[in-house]
Amino acid sequence: MKLLGKLKLKSRMILILGVMALVQTGFIGVFALHYLHESLGEQIGQHALNVAKTIASTPQIISAVQRHDSEFLQPLSLIFAQQTHARFVVIGDKNGARLAHPKAEKIGQLMSDDEGDKNIPVLVDGEGYISKAKGSLGWSVRGKAPIFNETKDVIGVVSVGYHLDHVELIILRYKLTLIFVILASFLLSAGIAVWFANHFKQAIFGLEPEQIAYLFDEQKATLESIREGIIAINSEGVITTINRAAIETLGLPENRELTGLPIEDVLPDSAMREVLESGAPQFDREVWRHDHSIIANRIPLRQGHTITGVVSSFRRKDELALVSRKLTRIQQYADSLRSQSHEYSNKLHTIAGLIQIGATDEALVLIGQESQSHQELINLLIESVPDPILAGCLLGKYNRAKELNLTLVIDAESHMAALPESLPREHLVSIIGNLIDNALEATLEGRGPGGQVFLSMTDLGNELIFEIEDQGAGIDDQIKDKIFEKGVSSKANIGHGFGLHLVQSLLNELGGTITVEPADNQGSRFIVYIPKQQTLTQV
């Protein structure tokens, strides 16, 4: 067994299948030879009995036996033996004394002296029979038949024998054939083993069983070590893999064996069955479980064109949201600082120039104007937009507008304080940021430096409403209905046509809508509606 364990998978399969072929064909061969030996013995014995009965019923034989005419019977028995290919034909009287024998010196002696039987079934009962015995001519299969007279009395016996050497020769020929069949079967099994081993190893990516076992243990350890929950089901919707993080995240019982159970029994409203039937993956889907939000991805497993299962990975949203908020704030702060740095650098150069030429009054006025406008914006954001992420986004876009020599005008009546906790801030700033960037770019192209972009916000009612208006050239009627499709843009430059598509996609996730209409000043006005009550997918 140790030696077998050291062999490669292909060598093991060839050896095992070869040994199995040898054992099977050997067992079948031994059984076949034994059956053949017995069958041939019976057939030859039956043939010997039929010949004996035929000779015993010959009138000349009956008459000669009644006369005890050995001179007539002796040559006749030799002729019968030659014609029937028998080893011998022996004829005896009713007492078992030989009247004809291949060896003339045996005539007159009792057949029972050297043939090992008393001929009782024939001479006493008058019945023919078959026997295997060693007589004066060696081992043979013989058939014995009684000779009857006209009154049906037994008057003698005919014994016809065939040597067992003939049977052995036939068996030997079959043995040689069997050996050839066994070798051919072994070679065929080895060939099949090589083909099957190659096919099998290709299916398991050329790995050895020990390597597969190692990878299985490694995968199991990996699944248990990651913080994301993992659930996998097969084509029948039965759970095949679930890690501890999934059990803890979903609040499932830890002392229950979940693998092997249908996914509906564990998660009745799971969307994994939907992915299994449709084959369409689902990414970043927000679901609810035990009053907390989860971000889930579901990917179908395919073998060729057949879906063999689904894998779902998920994590609590509050963990992802924390990281996302930090990254969003860092990005907003970076944009804001970059814009402010550029803007204040220009203004400092201007102030320095005014001081150098002695225009100190103008320098003081410029300093006061800058402080006053910036402070007014900050006060507006503090009062109307208490959410730091949205406020930071608007402040960054305000500074970006100034950097482009444009003005972002935020309606003083705007109010956006009722942002629900369930609303993803990264989605919100992506929507508003993309729309403001588009408005700034459109205004710069349509109106040039000095143009304005207008923003108003309201959180009254059941929806959050944002209006962004630019002073651009407007949207061509030919693309107005397709403006939110990917790659469609009113700008001729390459690389546009993705911002509005992203806005539409994010609004679809939030259950919101967006409309576009001509502005009062020939530009475009985009109006965004986001419901305060978020409708999220259920587990």
Side-chain angles (χ1 to χ4, degrees):
M1 293 298 293
K2 291 183 179 179
L3 179 61
L4 187 63
K6 293 180 180 179
L7 297 176
K8 296 292 185 180
L9 176 62
K10 183 184 292 186
S11 302
R12 272 184 275 180
M13 295 184 72
I14 294 174
L15 181 61
I16 292 173
L17 289 179
V19 171
M20 287 180 60
L22 286 175
V23 171
Q24 289 177 351
T25 53
F27 176 79
I28 294 173
V30 170
F31 174 78
L33 289 176
H34 175 75
Y35 178 79
L36 180 63
H37 189 277
E38 295 296 324
S39 178
L40 284 175
E42 290 180 3
Q43 290 180 15
I44 293 175
Q46 189 63 45
H47 179 67
L49 179 59
N50 292 336
V51 172
K53 288 181 178 180
T54 301
I55 295 173
S57 62
T58 303
Q60 294 88 342
I61 298 297
I62 296 173
S63 176
V65 171
Q66 288 177 334
R67 300 192 310 268
H68 286 75
D69 190 354
S70 294
E71 293 182 1
F72 176 78
L73 294 174
Q74 174 66 13
L76 191 58
S77 68
L78 296 177
I79 295 173
F80 283 144
Q82 183 180 7
Q83 290 179 346
T84 58
H85 304 287
R87 180 65 183 85
F88 61 84
V89 173
V90 178
I91 301 174
D93 61 14
K94 63 180 180 181
N95 297 318
R98 297 188 183 95
L99 299 175
H101 192 276
K103 295 181 179 180
E105 64 271 16
K106 296 290 185 179
I107 296 175
Q109 298 178 7
L110 293 177
M111 297 172 67
S112 59
D113 289 345
D114 53 7
E115 295 183 4
D117 60 62
K118 304 296 183 181
N119 299 309
I120 294 176
V122 177
L123 299 176
V124 177
D125 301 329
E127 295 178 356
Y129 68 96
I130 300 170
S131 68
K132 182 191 296 184
K134 184 178 181 181
S136 60
L137 299 177
W139 282 97
S140 61
V141 176
R142 61 196 64 183
K144 296 190 177 187
I147 302 173
F148 298 99
N149 59 13
E150 294 81 359
T151 59
K152 301 300 181 184
D153 295 325
V154 177
I155 61 172
V157 58
V158 177
S159 178
V160 178
Y162 287 88
H163 259 312
L164 289 177
D165 296 344
H166 182 64
V167 176
E168 297 299 332
L169 287 175
I170 296 176
I171 297 298
L172 180 60
R173 290 201 301 269
Y174 278 98
K175 282 183 179 179
L176 295 175
T177 303
L178 180 62
I179 291 173
F180 174 77
V181 171
I182 290 175
L183 292 177
S185 177
F186 175 78
L187 294 176
L188 179 62
S189 298
I192 293 175
V194 171
W195 173 83
F196 182 73
N198 289 332
H199 178 75
F200 185 74
K201 290 205 70 174
Q202 183 179 6
I204 60 176
F205 305 103
L207 299 174
E208 295 293 324
E210 294 78 8
Q211 294 174 308
I212 296 175
Y214 173 79
L215 290 176
F216 177 78
D217 292 337
E218 184 181 56
Q219 181 194 43
K220 186 176 180 181
T222 302
L223 287 175
E224 294 299 332
S225 65
I226 61 177
R227 296 183 62 185
E228 282 201 359
I230 302 291
I231 297 180
I233 61 174
N234 60 17
S235 59
E236 298 176 355
V238 175
I239 297 175
T240 56
T241 301
I242 183 168
N243 65 350
R244 183 170 297 277
I247 295 174
E248 294 175 352
T249 302
L250 299 176
L252 301 174
E254 297 185 6
N255 57 353
R256 182 185 178 190
E257 182 61 38
L258 300 178
T259 56
L261 297 178
I263 187 66
E264 293 84 358
D265 293 352
V266 179
L267 299 171
D269 300 321
S270 174
M272 295 181 72
R273 175 68 74 172
E274 175 186 341
V275 176
L276 185 63
E277 295 174 354
S278 66
Q282 298 177 355
F283 298 103
D284 299 327
R285 296 296 179 92
E286 188 168 359
V287 299
W288 282 99
R289 179 75 180 180
H290 296 320
D291 299 328
H292 60 260
S293 180
I294 296 173
I295 301 298
N297 296 287
R298 306 177 187 93
I299 301 176
L301 300 175
R302 298 180 184 273
Q303 188 171 7
H305 298 290
T306 305
I307 299 176
T308 58
V310 176
V311 174
S312 175
S313 63
F314 48 89
R315 196 168 185 174
R316 289 187 58 163
K317 184 183 176 182
D318 48 11
E319 298 179 9
L320 297 174
L322 179 60
V323 176
S324 180
R325 287 192 190 103
K326 290 181 179 179
L327 292 175
T328 302
R329 289 174 184 173
I330 292 172
Q331 183 178 1
Q332 296 299 330
Y333 294 155
D335 290 343
S336 178
L337 289 174
R338 180 179 59 82
S339 299
Q340 290 185 26
S341 175
H342 184 75
E343 179 187 358
Y344 285 120
S345 176
N346 291 333
K347 294 197 172 175
L348 284 175
H349 291 158
T350 303
I351 293 171
L354 291 173
I355 293 175
Q356 287 178 359
I357 64 176
T360 55
D361 292 338
E362 286 81 0
L364 291 174
V365 170
L366 180 60
I367 293 172
Q369 288 177 348
E370 177 60 28
S371 299
Q372 181 179 0
S373 62
H374 198 267
Q375 190 60 45
E376 287 176 355
L377 174 63
I378 292 176
N379 290 337
L380 174 61
L381 293 177
I382 290 175
E383 273 186 33
S384 303
V385 188
D387 186 86
I389 295 179
L390 180 58
C393 173
L394 296 179
L395 182 60
K397 297 305 177 185
Y398 176 83
N399 291 323
R400 174 61 178 163
K402 297 190 72 174
E403 184 180 334
L404 297 173
N405 200 14
L406 301 173
T407 303
L408 175 60
V409 180
I410 301 177
D411 188 354
E413 301 297 325
S414 294
H415 193 268
M416 189 58 60
L419 293 179
E421 289 295 326
S422 60
L423 177 63
R425 299 302 190 268
E426 63 275 14
H427 286 16
L428 180 61
V429 298
S430 292
I431 293 170
I432 303 305
N434 270 289
L435 291 175
I436 293 177
D437 286 340
N438 283 351
L440 291 173
E441 190 173 348
T443 300
L444 190 61
E445 290 183 0
R447 183 71 175 269
Q452 294 180 322
V453 173
F454 301 92
L455 169 66
S456 65
M457 304 171 288
T458 180
D459 56 3
L460 297 177
N462 297 323
E463 294 178 315
L464 308 176
I465 302 175
F466 299 85
E467 292 188 17
I468 298 95
E469 182 178 324
D470 61 55
Q471 294 181 334
I475 300 175
D476 193 339
D477 291 338
Q478 293 181 352
I479 64 171
K480 185 176 182 181
D481 295 336
K482 302 185 295 182
I483 194 67
F484 296 105
E485 296 180 9
K486 182 184 291 187
V488 177
S489 175
S490 60
K491 304 176 183 65
N493 298 337
I494 298 175
H496 292 284
F498 297 96
L500 290 179
H501 174 72
L502 175 61
V503 169
Q504 181 69 73
S505 300
L506 294 175
L507 284 172
N508 289 340
E509 291 189 26
L510 301 176
T513 57
I514 182 172
T515 62
V516 58
E517 60 186 36
D520 298 335
N521 53 5
Q522 196 179 354
S524 300
R525 181 186 297 113
F526 289 84
I527 306 174
V528 174
Y529 303 89
I530 301 175
K532 293 181 181 179
Q533 185 66 35
Q534 294 296 299
T535 302
L536 301 175
T537 308
Q538 297 299 311
V539 175

